[in-house]
Amino acid sequence: MQKSQVTIKDIAQELGIAISTVSRALQNHPRIGLKTKEQVFEVAKRLNYVPNPAAILLRKNKTYTVGVVFPHLQEEFFSQTITGIEDVISAQGYNVVISQSRDKLERENRAIKSFISSRVDGVIASISAETTQYYSFKELENYGIPLVFFDRVPKDVAVNKVRGNILEAAFEATSFLAKKGITKIAILNGPSNLEISNERLEGYWKALKSLNLPIIQQYIKSTDLTKEDTFKKMEELIALPEQPQAVLCFNDYVALFAMQSCRQKGIVPNTDIHFVSFANLPITAYLDNPPMASVEQFAYKMGEQAALLLLKIIDAKQDKTLIPEEIIIDTELIIH
């Protein structure tokens, strides 16, 4: 039969002292004498006493757990950010609980409710493609749980966030294509409710205007980031009387889907139609016809910075004067 776990009550009974005295001795409280402490530690060792971590955390009103919700772990960009988050969080004695929204609002809301019920000390989030309202995230604030967004951050809301310099990156990527003599440039963007989609579009517009290139409405497409919708939108671009010479893509996955769509139509990617994308995933190096260039967003660094910001807020949780902070990660256009 399995023995029951030894408690501080057992130690107190063995020594004939109060439970509160044993508790303070184990915490090395200054009001407890050295002789009593030595006796308590000797009995605790002999009885194989193991502290109850749940009870300790309850007394401290902390769980040393951080929740992270993001779209897809299969996307290397997010797996790199998670690594950055875990490296920082675990070094400070916290555990990380990970949940994927898979770009579904319902899954995202369920993850937030789970974090609240688990009494996490903080949450780091990158919103789903379906997220247009932030009621579930507001619930975290109601429970006093700090929150930091990264990469996909809410539009027009003052929140703690870490994101890339996307507008300037899109401007540089579009300008790069134009300087190659390419004048008919399309964009396969993400959902319009995402701020990073709007920033990509604004940078694209800004570059075309600065170079006196035409803005052709038929060249501007938004996708829901799925393979099926990306195929559909790329086929629409291919079917135009004047096909674009190049396409700026929301990320490397959208670029890969679009290039696959081209191949099915007998079009050679990055020869007949050129591609530039975001994320700079290592997988593109193994392609026969990789995108001409990709925007490096430094996903690991973004994860690190999001984790550091969250820990800073957790440590200053009682400081009501804190204002939302925004950290911008510079990007770099990598030519392939």
PDB file of all heavy atoms in Angstrom, residues 233-264:
ATOM      1  N   LYS A 233      -7.059  33.073 -55.182  1.00  0.00           N
ATOM      2  CA  LYS A 233      -6.672  34.461 -55.446  1.00  0.00           C
ATOM      3  C   LYS A 233      -5.520  34.543 -56.446  1.00  0.00           C
ATOM      4  O   LYS A 233      -5.464  35.464 -57.276  1.00  0.00           O
ATOM      5  CB  LYS A 233      -6.306  35.154 -54.130  1.00  0.00           C
ATOM      6  CG  LYS A 233      -7.450  35.202 -53.121  1.00  0.00           C
ATOM      7  CD  LYS A 233      -8.668  35.916 -53.674  1.00  0.00           C
ATOM      8  CE  LYS A 233      -9.918  35.745 -52.812  1.00  0.00           C
ATOM      9  NZ  LYS A 233      -9.770  36.161 -51.423  1.00  0.00           N
ATOM     10  N   MET A 234      -4.600  33.572 -56.388  1.00  0.00           N
ATOM     11  CA  MET A 234      -3.507  33.564 -57.350  1.00  0.00           C
ATOM     12  C   MET A 234      -4.027  33.253 -58.741  1.00  0.00           C
ATOM     13  O   MET A 234      -3.576  33.851 -59.737  1.00  0.00           O
ATOM     14  CB  MET A 234      -2.448  32.534 -56.935  1.00  0.00           C
ATOM     15  CG  MET A 234      -1.168  32.619 -57.774  1.00  0.00           C
ATOM     16  SD  MET A 234      -0.281  34.177 -57.541  1.00  0.00           S
ATOM     17  CE  MET A 234       0.315  34.489 -59.214  1.00  0.00           C
ATOM     18  N   GLU A 235      -4.978  32.363 -58.836  1.00  0.00           N
ATOM     19  CA  GLU A 235      -5.587  32.047 -60.139  1.00  0.00           C
ATOM     20  C   GLU A 235      -6.280  33.270 -60.723  1.00  0.00           C
ATOM     21  O   GLU A 235      -6.271  33.471 -61.951  1.00  0.00           O
ATOM     22  CB  GLU A 235      -6.567  30.889 -59.982  1.00  0.00           C
ATOM     23  CG  GLU A 235      -5.882  29.540 -59.783  1.00  0.00           C
ATOM     24  CD  GLU A 235      -6.851  28.436 -59.403  1.00  0.00           C
ATOM     25  OE1 GLU A 235      -8.055  28.737 -59.231  1.00  0.00           O
ATOM     26  OE2 GLU A 235      -6.413  27.271 -59.275  1.00  0.00           O
ATOM     27  N   GLU A 236      -6.887  34.096 -59.858  1.00  0.00           N
ATOM     28  CA  GLU A 236      -7.520  35.329 -60.326  1.00  0.00           C
ATOM     29  C   GLU A 236      -6.479  36.284 -60.900  1.00  0.00           C
ATOM     30  O   GLU A 236      -6.725  36.963 -61.916  1.00  0.00           O
ATOM     31  CB  GLU A 236      -8.278  36.001 -59.175  1.00  0.00           C
ATOM     32  CG  GLU A 236      -9.529  35.231 -58.738  1.00  0.00           C
ATOM     33  CD  GLU A 236     -10.179  35.837 -57.504  1.00  0.00           C
ATOM     34  OE1 GLU A 236      -9.681  36.889 -57.012  1.00  0.00           O
ATOM     35  OE2 GLU A 236     -11.193  35.268 -57.027  1.00  0.00           O
ATOM     36  N   LEU A 237      -5.303  36.337 -60.267  1.00  0.00           N
ATOM     37  CA  LEU A 237      -4.234  37.199 -60.786  1.00  0.00           C
ATOM     38  C   LEU A 237      -3.719  36.678 -62.124  1.00  0.00           C
ATOM     39  O   LEU A 237      -3.474  37.450 -63.061  1.00  0.00           O
ATOM     40  CB  LEU A 237      -3.081  37.278 -59.774  1.00  0.00           C
ATOM     41  CG  LEU A 237      -3.349  38.046 -58.473  1.00  0.00           C
ATOM     42  CD1 LEU A 237      -2.178  37.899 -57.510  1.00  0.00           C
ATOM     43  CD2 LEU A 237      -3.627  39.518 -58.746  1.00  0.00           C
ATOM     44  N   ILE A 238      -3.564  35.352 -62.214  1.00  0.00           N
ATOM     45  CA  ILE A 238      -3.074  34.740 -63.445  1.00  0.00           C
ATOM     46  C   ILE A 238      -4.049  34.966 -64.608  1.00  0.00           C
ATOM     47  O   ILE A 238      -3.641  35.145 -65.763  1.00  0.00           O
ATOM     48  CB  ILE A 238      -2.847  33.224 -63.243  1.00  0.00           C
ATOM     49  CG1 ILE A 238      -1.684  32.995 -62.272  1.00  0.00           C
ATOM     50  CG2 ILE A 238      -2.579  32.512 -64.573  1.00  0.00           C
ATOM     51  CD1 ILE A 238      -1.522  31.547 -61.832  1.00  0.00           C
ATOM     52  N   ALA A 239      -5.349  35.000 -64.293  1.00  0.00           N
ATOM     53  CA  ALA A 239      -6.384  35.124 -65.326  1.00  0.00           C
ATOM     54  C   ALA A 239      -6.562  36.549 -65.840  1.00  0.00           C
ATOM     55  O   ALA A 239      -7.295  36.766 -66.817  1.00  0.00           O
ATOM     56  CB  ALA A 239      -7.718  34.612 -64.773  1.00  0.00           C
ATOM     57  N   LEU A 240      -5.911  37.525 -65.217  1.00  0.00           N
ATOM     58  CA  LEU A 240      -6.059  38.914 -65.659  1.00  0.00           C
ATOM     59  C   LEU A 240      -5.486  39.102 -67.072  1.00  0.00           C
ATOM     60  O   LEU A 240      -4.530  38.421 -67.455  1.00  0.00           O
ATOM     61  CB  LEU A 240      -5.326  39.855 -64.692  1.00  0.00           C
ATOM     62  CG  LEU A 240      -5.946  40.013 -63.302  1.00  0.00           C
ATOM     63  CD1 LEU A 240      -5.021  40.822 -62.392  1.00  0.00           C
ATOM     64  CD2 LEU A 240      -7.319  40.680 -63.388  1.00  0.00           C
ATOM     65  N   PRO A 241      -6.065  40.013 -67.852  1.00  0.00           N
ATOM     66  CA  PRO A 241      -5.540  40.275 -69.202  1.00  0.00           C
ATOM     67  C   PRO A 241      -4.059  40.629 -69.173  1.00  0.00           C
ATOM     68  O   PRO A 241      -3.298  40.234 -70.056  1.00  0.00           O
ATOM     69  CB  PRO A 241      -6.390  41.461 -69.684  1.00  0.00           C
ATOM     70  CG  PRO A 241      -7.662  41.339 -68.900  1.00  0.00           C
ATOM     71  CD  PRO A 241      -7.272  40.804 -67.556  1.00  0.00           C
ATOM     72  N   GLU A 242      -3.663  41.388 -68.144  1.00  0.00           N
ATOM     73  CA  GLU A 242      -2.244  41.699 -67.930  1.00  0.00           C
ATOM     74  C   GLU A 242      -1.805  41.079 -66.616  1.00  0.00           C
ATOM     75  O   GLU A 242      -2.091  41.616 -65.548  1.00  0.00           O
ATOM     76  CB  GLU A 242      -2.004  43.212 -67.910  1.00  0.00           C
ATOM     77  CG  GLU A 242      -2.016  43.863 -69.276  1.00  0.00           C
ATOM     78  CD  GLU A 242      -1.461  45.282 -69.217  1.00  0.00           C
ATOM     79  OE1 GLU A 242      -0.241  45.451 -69.369  1.00  0.00           O
ATOM     80  OE2 GLU A 242      -2.264  46.195 -68.976  1.00  0.00           O
ATOM     81  N   GLN A 243      -1.145  39.932 -66.706  1.00  0.00           N
ATOM     82  CA  GLN A 243      -0.677  39.276 -65.485  1.00  0.00           C
ATOM     83  C   GLN A 243       0.362  40.143 -64.769  1.00  0.00           C
ATOM     84  O   GLN A 243       1.136  40.844 -65.416  1.00  0.00           O
ATOM     85  CB  GLN A 243      -0.021  37.927 -65.824  1.00  0.00           C
ATOM     86  CG  GLN A 243      -0.959  36.836 -66.240  1.00  0.00           C
ATOM     87  CD  GLN A 243      -0.194  35.542 -66.519  1.00  0.00           C
ATOM     88  OE1 GLN A 243       1.023  35.487 -66.400  1.00  0.00           O
ATOM     89  NE2 GLN A 243      -0.919  34.503 -66.911  1.00  0.00           N
ATOM     90  N   PRO A 244       0.380  40.099 -63.442  1.00  0.00           N
ATOM     91  CA  PRO A 244       1.449  40.815 -62.729  1.00  0.00           C
ATOM     92  C   PRO A 244       2.798  40.159 -63.014  1.00  0.00           C
ATOM     93  O   PRO A 244       2.880  38.954 -63.281  1.00  0.00           O
ATOM     94  CB  PRO A 244       1.051  40.660 -61.257  1.00  0.00           C
ATOM     95  CG  PRO A 244       0.193  39.443 -61.213  1.00  0.00           C
ATOM     96  CD  PRO A 244      -0.550  39.418 -62.519  1.00  0.00           C
ATOM     97  N   GLN A 245       3.834  40.960 -62.965  1.00  0.00           N
ATOM     98  CA  GLN A 245       5.186  40.439 -63.142  1.00  0.00           C
ATOM     99  C   GLN A 245       5.749  39.905 -61.827  1.00  0.00           C
ATOM    100  O   GLN A 245       6.687  39.107 -61.823  1.00  0.00           O
ATOM    101  CB  GLN A 245       6.108  41.542 -63.678  1.00  0.00           C
ATOM    102  CG  GLN A 245       5.717  42.079 -65.043  1.00  0.00           C
ATOM    103  CD  GLN A 245       6.474  43.356 -65.362  1.00  0.00           C
ATOM    104  OE1 GLN A 245       6.303  44.374 -64.695  1.00  0.00           O
ATOM    105  NE2 GLN A 245       7.339  43.271 -66.366  1.00  0.00           N
ATOM    106  N   ALA A 246       5.190  40.393 -60.720  1.00  0.00           N
ATOM    107  CA  ALA A 246       5.671  39.983 -59.401  1.00  0.00           C
ATOM    108  C   ALA A 246       4.538  40.083 -58.396  1.00  0.00           C
ATOM    109  O   ALA A 246       3.569  40.839 -58.603  1.00  0.00           O
ATOM    110  CB  ALA A 246       6.851  40.840 -58.967  1.00  0.00           C
ATOM    111  N   VAL A 247       4.680  39.333 -57.289  1.00  0.00           N
ATOM    112  CA  VAL A 247       3.666  39.338 -56.234  1.00  0.00           C
ATOM    113  C   VAL A 247       4.354  39.463 -54.870  1.00  0.00           C
ATOM    114  O   VAL A 247       5.273  38.685 -54.568  1.00  0.00           O
ATOM    115  CB  VAL A 247       2.812  38.051 -56.250  1.00  0.00           C
ATOM    116  CG1 VAL A 247       1.720  38.126 -55.173  1.00  0.00           C
ATOM    117  CG2 VAL A 247       2.195  37.827 -57.627  1.00  0.00           C
ATOM    118  N   LEU A 248       3.921  40.432 -54.091  1.00  0.00           N
ATOM    119  CA  LEU A 248       4.351  40.563 -52.703  1.00  0.00           C
ATOM    120  C   LEU A 248       3.387  39.747 -51.852  1.00  0.00           C
ATOM    121  O   LEU A 248       2.183  39.999 -51.862  1.00  0.00           O
ATOM    122  CB  LEU A 248       4.323  42.037 -52.273  1.00  0.00           C
ATOM    123  CG  LEU A 248       4.652  42.324 -50.802  1.00  0.00           C
ATOM    124  CD1 LEU A 248       6.095  41.935 -50.484  1.00  0.00           C
ATOM    125  CD2 LEU A 248       4.409  43.793 -50.465  1.00  0.00           C
ATOM    126  N   CYS A 249       3.909  38.752 -51.114  1.00  0.00           N
ATOM    127  CA  CYS A 249       3.052  37.821 -50.372  1.00  0.00           C
ATOM    128  C   CYS A 249       3.093  38.072 -48.877  1.00  0.00           C
ATOM    129  O   CYS A 249       4.135  38.456 -48.316  1.00  0.00           O
ATOM    130  CB  CYS A 249       3.475  36.375 -50.652  1.00  0.00           C
ATOM    131  SG  CYS A 249       3.233  35.884 -52.373  1.00  0.00           S
ATOM    132  N   PHE A 250       1.958  37.803 -48.219  1.00  0.00           N
ATOM    133  CA  PHE A 250       1.804  38.040 -46.778  1.00  0.00           C
ATOM    134  C   PHE A 250       2.886  37.330 -45.971  1.00  0.00           C
ATOM    135  O   PHE A 250       3.444  37.881 -45.034  1.00  0.00           O
ATOM    136  CB  PHE A 250       0.422  37.561 -46.333  1.00  0.00           C
ATOM    137  CG  PHE A 250       0.150  37.749 -44.863  1.00  0.00           C
ATOM    138  CD1 PHE A 250      -0.326  38.963 -44.381  1.00  0.00           C
ATOM    139  CD2 PHE A 250       0.350  36.710 -43.963  1.00  0.00           C
ATOM    140  CE1 PHE A 250      -0.580  39.142 -43.036  1.00  0.00           C
ATOM    141  CE2 PHE A 250       0.098  36.876 -42.617  1.00  0.00           C
ATOM    142  CZ  PHE A 250      -0.367  38.102 -42.148  1.00  0.00           C
ATOM    143  N   ASN A 251       3.183  36.075 -46.321  1.00  0.00           N
ATOM    144  CA  ASN A 251       4.273  35.346 -45.673  1.00  0.00           C
ATOM    145  C   ASN A 251       4.784  34.265 -46.615  1.00  0.00           C
ATOM    146  O   ASN A 251       4.281  34.100 -47.739  1.00  0.00           O
ATOM    147  CB  ASN A 251       3.853  34.764 -44.311  1.00  0.00           C
ATOM    148  CG  ASN A 251       2.703  33.767 -44.397  1.00  0.00           C
ATOM    149  OD1 ASN A 251       2.470  33.150 -45.437  1.00  0.00           O
ATOM    150  ND2 ASN A 251       1.970  33.623 -43.313  1.00  0.00           N
ATOM    151  N   ASP A 252       5.787  33.522 -46.164  1.00  0.00           N
ATOM    152  CA  ASP A 252       6.390  32.502 -47.031  1.00  0.00           C
ATOM    153  C   ASP A 252       5.416  31.385 -47.381  1.00  0.00           C
ATOM    154  O   ASP A 252       5.501  30.800 -48.460  1.00  0.00           O
ATOM    155  CB  ASP A 252       7.626  31.903 -46.343  1.00  0.00           C
ATOM    156  CG  ASP A 252       8.821  32.856 -46.364  1.00  0.00           C
ATOM    157  OD1 ASP A 252       8.836  33.760 -47.216  1.00  0.00           O
ATOM    158  OD2 ASP A 252       9.724  32.695 -45.528  1.00  0.00           O
ATOM    159  N   TYR A 253       4.483  31.077 -46.469  1.00  0.00           N
ATOM    160  CA  TYR A 253       3.514  30.018 -46.757  1.00  0.00           C
ATOM    161  C   TYR A 253       2.566  30.443 -47.874  1.00  0.00           C
ATOM    162  O   TYR A 253       2.250  29.648 -48.766  1.00  0.00           O
ATOM    163  CB  TYR A 253       2.735  29.644 -45.496  1.00  0.00           C
ATOM    164  CG  TYR A 253       3.570  28.872 -44.512  1.00  0.00           C
ATOM    165  CD1 TYR A 253       4.148  29.503 -43.424  1.00  0.00           C
ATOM    166  CD2 TYR A 253       3.803  27.509 -44.683  1.00  0.00           C
ATOM    167  CE1 TYR A 253       4.940  28.805 -42.523  1.00  0.00           C
ATOM    168  CE2 TYR A 253       4.590  26.797 -43.790  1.00  0.00           C
ATOM    169  CZ  TYR A 253       5.156  27.455 -42.710  1.00  0.00           C
ATOM    170  OH  TYR A 253       5.951  26.764 -41.826  1.00  0.00           O
ATOM    171  N   VAL A 254       2.108  31.686 -47.831  1.00  0.00           N
ATOM    172  CA  VAL A 254       1.268  32.204 -48.909  1.00  0.00           C
ATOM    173  C   VAL A 254       2.044  32.174 -50.227  1.00  0.00           C
ATOM    174  O   VAL A 254       1.507  31.807 -51.280  1.00  0.00           O
ATOM    175  CB  VAL A 254       0.766  33.626 -48.582  1.00  0.00           C
ATOM    176  CG1 VAL A 254       0.115  34.276 -49.804  1.00  0.00           C
ATOM    177  CG2 VAL A 254      -0.222  33.589 -47.418  1.00  0.00           C
ATOM    178  N   ALA A 255       3.330  32.532 -50.164  1.00  0.00           N
ATOM    179  CA  ALA A 255       4.162  32.500 -51.371  1.00  0.00           C
ATOM    180  C   ALA A 255       4.291  31.075 -51.908  1.00  0.00           C
ATOM    181  O   ALA A 255       4.190  30.845 -53.116  1.00  0.00           O
ATOM    182  CB  ALA A 255       5.547  33.072 -51.067  1.00  0.00           C
ATOM    183  N   LEU A 256       4.488  30.101 -51.021  1.00  0.00           N
ATOM    184  CA  LEU A 256       4.611  28.701 -51.450  1.00  0.00           C
ATOM    185  C   LEU A 256       3.324  28.200 -52.105  1.00  0.00           C
ATOM    186  O   LEU A 256       3.360  27.519 -53.131  1.00  0.00           O
ATOM    187  CB  LEU A 256       4.974  27.820 -50.251  1.00  0.00           C
ATOM    188  CG  LEU A 256       6.374  28.017 -49.667  1.00  0.00           C
ATOM    189  CD1 LEU A 256       6.532  27.219 -48.376  1.00  0.00           C
ATOM    190  CD2 LEU A 256       7.445  27.605 -50.675  1.00  0.00           C
ATOM    191  N   PHE A 257       2.181  28.554 -51.507  1.00  0.00           N
ATOM    192  CA  PHE A 257       0.891  28.165 -52.094  1.00  0.00           C
ATOM    193  C   PHE A 257       0.713  28.817 -53.466  1.00  0.00           C
ATOM    194  O   PHE A 257       0.276  28.170 -54.420  1.00  0.00           O
ATOM    195  CB  PHE A 257      -0.263  28.578 -51.180  1.00  0.00           C
ATOM    196  CG  PHE A 257      -0.265  27.911 -49.828  1.00  0.00           C
ATOM    197  CD1 PHE A 257      -0.832  28.552 -48.721  1.00  0.00           C
ATOM    198  CD2 PHE A 257       0.284  26.654 -49.637  1.00  0.00           C
ATOM    199  CE1 PHE A 257      -0.838  27.959 -47.479  1.00  0.00           C
ATOM    200  CE2 PHE A 257       0.274  26.046 -48.395  1.00  0.00           C
ATOM    201  CZ  PHE A 257      -0.286  26.698 -47.310  1.00  0.00           C
ATOM    202  N   ALA A 258       1.046  30.106 -53.547  1.00  0.00           N
ATOM    203  CA  ALA A 258       0.874  30.842 -54.803  1.00  0.00           C
ATOM    204  C   ALA A 258       1.781  30.282 -55.897  1.00  0.00           C
ATOM    205  O   ALA A 258       1.371  30.153 -57.059  1.00  0.00           O
ATOM    206  CB  ALA A 258       1.163  32.331 -54.579  1.00  0.00           C
ATOM    207  N   MET A 259       3.010  29.931 -55.530  1.00  0.00           N
ATOM    208  CA  MET A 259       3.936  29.367 -56.516  1.00  0.00           C
ATOM    209  C   MET A 259       3.468  27.994 -56.994  1.00  0.00           C
ATOM    210  O   MET A 259       3.611  27.647 -58.166  1.00  0.00           O
ATOM    211  CB  MET A 259       5.352  29.288 -55.920  1.00  0.00           C
ATOM    212  CG  MET A 259       6.004  30.664 -55.752  1.00  0.00           C
ATOM    213  SD  MET A 259       7.772  30.595 -55.343  1.00  0.00           S
ATOM    214  CE  MET A 259       7.723  29.933 -53.682  1.00  0.00           C
ATOM    215  N   GLN A 260       2.873  27.224 -56.088  1.00  0.00           N
ATOM    216  CA  GLN A 260       2.323  25.925 -56.479  1.00  0.00           C
ATOM    217  C   GLN A 260       1.165  26.100 -57.461  1.00  0.00           C
ATOM    218  O   GLN A 260       1.020  25.354 -58.428  1.00  0.00           O
ATOM    219  CB  GLN A 260       1.853  25.160 -55.238  1.00  0.00           C
ATOM    220  CG  GLN A 260       1.439  23.717 -55.525  1.00  0.00           C
ATOM    221  CD  GLN A 260       1.073  22.956 -54.268  1.00  0.00           C
ATOM    222  OE1 GLN A 260       1.263  23.432 -53.153  1.00  0.00           O
ATOM    223  NE2 GLN A 260       0.528  21.767 -54.430  1.00  0.00           N
ATOM    224  N   SER A 261       0.354  27.135 -57.210  1.00  0.00           N
ATOM    225  CA  SER A 261      -0.746  27.446 -58.120  1.00  0.00           C
ATOM    226  C   SER A 261      -0.209  27.799 -59.512  1.00  0.00           C
ATOM    227  O   SER A 261      -0.771  27.386 -60.527  1.00  0.00           O
ATOM    228  CB  SER A 261      -1.565  28.609 -57.556  1.00  0.00           C
ATOM    229  OG  SER A 261      -2.586  28.999 -58.442  1.00  0.00           O
ATOM    230  N   CYS A 262       0.895  28.554 -59.542  1.00  0.00           N
ATOM    231  CA  CYS A 262       1.512  28.921 -60.819  1.00  0.00           C
ATOM    232  C   CYS A 262       1.961  27.678 -61.588  1.00  0.00           C
ATOM    233  O   CYS A 262       1.717  27.551 -62.799  1.00  0.00           O
ATOM    234  CB  CYS A 262       2.708  29.840 -60.575  1.00  0.00           C
ATOM    235  SG  CYS A 262       2.282  31.538 -60.141  1.00  0.00           S
ATOM    236  N   ARG A 263       2.611  26.763 -60.880  1.00  0.00           N
ATOM    237  CA  ARG A 263       3.122  25.560 -61.547  1.00  0.00           C
ATOM    238  C   ARG A 263       1.996  24.764 -62.195  1.00  0.00           C
ATOM    239  O   ARG A 263       2.169  24.188 -63.276  1.00  0.00           O
ATOM    240  CB  ARG A 263       3.868  24.683 -60.534  1.00  0.00           C
ATOM    241  CG  ARG A 263       5.181  25.273 -60.041  1.00  0.00           C
ATOM    242  CD  ARG A 263       5.972  24.261 -59.228  1.00  0.00           C
ATOM    243  NE  ARG A 263       7.086  24.912 -58.547  1.00  0.00           N
ATOM    244  CZ  ARG A 263       7.042  25.365 -57.295  1.00  0.00           C
ATOM    245  NH1 ARG A 263       5.922  25.247 -56.587  1.00  0.00           N
ATOM    246  NH2 ARG A 263       8.092  25.933 -56.759  1.00  0.00           N
ATOM    247  N   GLN A 264       0.842  24.717 -61.514  1.00  0.00           N
ATOM    248  CA  GLN A 264      -0.291  23.977 -62.068  1.00  0.00           C
ATOM    249  C   GLN A 264      -0.814  24.614 -63.356  1.00  0.00           C
ATOM    250  O   GLN A 264      -1.483  23.954 -64.149  1.00  0.00           O
ATOM    251  CB  GLN A 264      -1.414  23.896 -61.025  1.00  0.00           C
ATOM    252  CG  GLN A 264      -1.087  22.992 -59.836  1.00  0.00           C
ATOM    253  CD  GLN A 264      -2.262  22.821 -58.891  1.00  0.00           C
ATOM    254  OE1 GLN A 264      -3.340  23.376 -59.109  1.00  0.00           O
ATOM    255  NE2 GLN A 264      -2.065  22.039 -57.832  1.00  0.00           N
TER     256      GLN A 264
END
